[in-house]
C-alpha cells in the first residue's frame, strides 16, 4: 500500500506498528524504493517511540495508524503537527478504543475512520487474516508444526475465532495424513 501511495505522488513515511513484526528486508526494500522508513526488527521501546516521532516529524497530512500510537503522539508530544493532519484511519480494535476515548473527552484533533468497524475488516481480516498469520508466525519462529498440539485460545472475538479455526484445520490435516498413511 505504501508503494501504491508513493506511485500516486504521495511522500510516504512509514514505521512499524510493532517492533517484533517489522521485517528488516521489507523495510530496506521500501527505503530503496524511496520511502522514508523508520523501523527495524526488535527495536527497544525507546527506539520504537523514536521511530514514530521521527516519522511524525515528516509532517503528515494523513495518518494511517495501526494500534493508535501515532495518533496518541500527535495528541500529546507533537500537538503542533496535529494541526496539519486532515484525518486518517485506524484499523485495530485497541486503536479504535483509544480514539473513542479521546473523542468522548472532546480531545480528538482531526477526523479518523474506524476501519475495524467495517464488516469486511472484522469478519474477514480479523478472522481469516489474523487466524492464518498467527499460526504462520508461531510455526516460523518455533520451527514446529502445530498439528497434534493442545491449543488454548484466550479471548473469542473475531481474531480468537480465526485462531481457533486455523488450529482446528491443522488438527484435521494431521488426522487426514494419518488416514492416508
Amino acid at each position: 500500500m505504501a508503494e501504491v501511495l508513493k506511485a500516486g505522488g504521495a511522500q510516504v513515511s512509514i514505521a512499524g506498528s510493532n517492533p517484533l513484526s517489522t521485517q528488516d528486508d521489507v523495510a530496506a526494500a521500501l527505503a530503496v524504493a524511496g520511502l522514508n522508513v523508520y523501523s527495524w526488527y526488535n527495536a527497544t521501546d525507546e527506539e520504537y517511540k523514536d521511530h514514530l516521532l521521527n516519522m511524525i516529524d515528516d509532517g503528515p497530512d494523513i495518518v494511517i495508524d495501526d494500534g493508535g500510537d501515532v495518533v496518541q503522539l500527535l495528541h500529546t508530544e507533537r500537538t503542533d503537527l496535529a494541526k496539519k493532519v486532515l484525518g486518517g484511519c485506524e484499523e485495530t480494535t485497541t486503536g479504535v478504543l483509544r480514539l473513542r476515548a479521546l473523542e468522548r473527552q472532546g480531545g480528538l484533533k482531526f477526523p479518523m475512520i474506524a476501519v475495524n468497524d467495517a464488516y469486511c475488516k472484522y469478519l474477514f481480516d480479523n478472522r481469516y487474516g489474523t487466524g492464518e498469520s498467527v499460526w504462520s508466525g508461531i510455526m516460523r519462529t518455533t520451527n514446529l508444526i502445530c498439528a497434534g498440539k493442545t491449543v488454548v485460545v484466550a479471548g473469542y472475538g473475531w481474531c480468537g475465532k480465526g485462531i481457533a479455526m486455523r488450529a482446528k484445520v491443522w488438527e484435521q490435516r494431521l488426522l487426514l495424513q494419518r488416514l492416508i498413511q
Side-chain angles (χ1 to χ4, degrees):
M1 179 174 68
E3 287 182 314
V4 169
L5 293 170
K6 180 165 179 22
Q11 177 185 342
V12 180
S13 297
I14 190 167
S17 62
N18 178 335
L20 297 176
S21 65
T22 298
Q23 296 176 340
D24 289 336
D25 57 333
V26 173
L30 291 171
V32 168
L35 283 72
N36 300 324
V37 179
Y38 304 99
S39 189
W40 57 72
Y41 175 74
N42 207 18
T44 65
D45 289 344
E46 185 178 312
E47 290 169 333
Y48 170 68
K49 184 178 177 184
D50 285 344
H51 293 160
L52 297 181
L53 290 171
N54 287 327
M55 181 184 65
I56 291 168
D57 286 342
D58 287 346
D61 296 305
I62 298 171
V63 174
I64 301 173
D65 208 350
D66 186 348
D69 291 339
V70 174
V71 170
Q72 181 202 12
L73 289 170
L74 281 163
H75 282 77
T76 56
E77 296 188 34
R78 294 295 197 272
T79 55
D80 56 317
L81 294 172
K83 296 172 191 168
K84 182 183 177 207
V85 177
L86 302 171
C89 62
E90 169 57 52
E91 76 161 316
T92 66
T93 304
T94 301
V96 169
L97 290 173
R98 292 168 83 178
L99 286 174
R100 290 203 173 116
L102 253 178
E103 184 181 36
R104 275 193 305 276
Q105 298 164 1
L108 192 58
K109 298 181 185 301
F110 44 83
M112 292 288 291
I113 297 171
V115 176
N116 199 57
D117 291 350
Y119 289 126
C120 64
K121 169 64 171 96
Y122 67 82
L123 294 177
F124 181 77
D125 182 50
N126 287 10
R127 186 178 202 176
Y128 298 101
T130 301
E132 179 62 30
S133 65
V134 162
W135 290 112
S136 295
I138 289 171
M139 290 185 293
R140 192 177 317 116
T141 57
T142 64
N143 201 29
L144 295 173
I145 294 178
C146 298
K149 306 288 190 282
T150 300
V151 174
V152 175
V153 177
Y156 204 64
W158 288 108
C159 292
K161 288 176 185 176
I163 292 166
M165 180 184 69
R166 294 306 299 169
K168 184 177 181 179
V169 168
W170 283 109
E171 185 60 29
Q172 290 170 343
R173 286 182 183 170
L174 177 66
L175 291 172
L176 185 59
Q177 286 175 346
R178 287 179 181 166
L179 287 173
I180 292 171
Q181 294 173 356

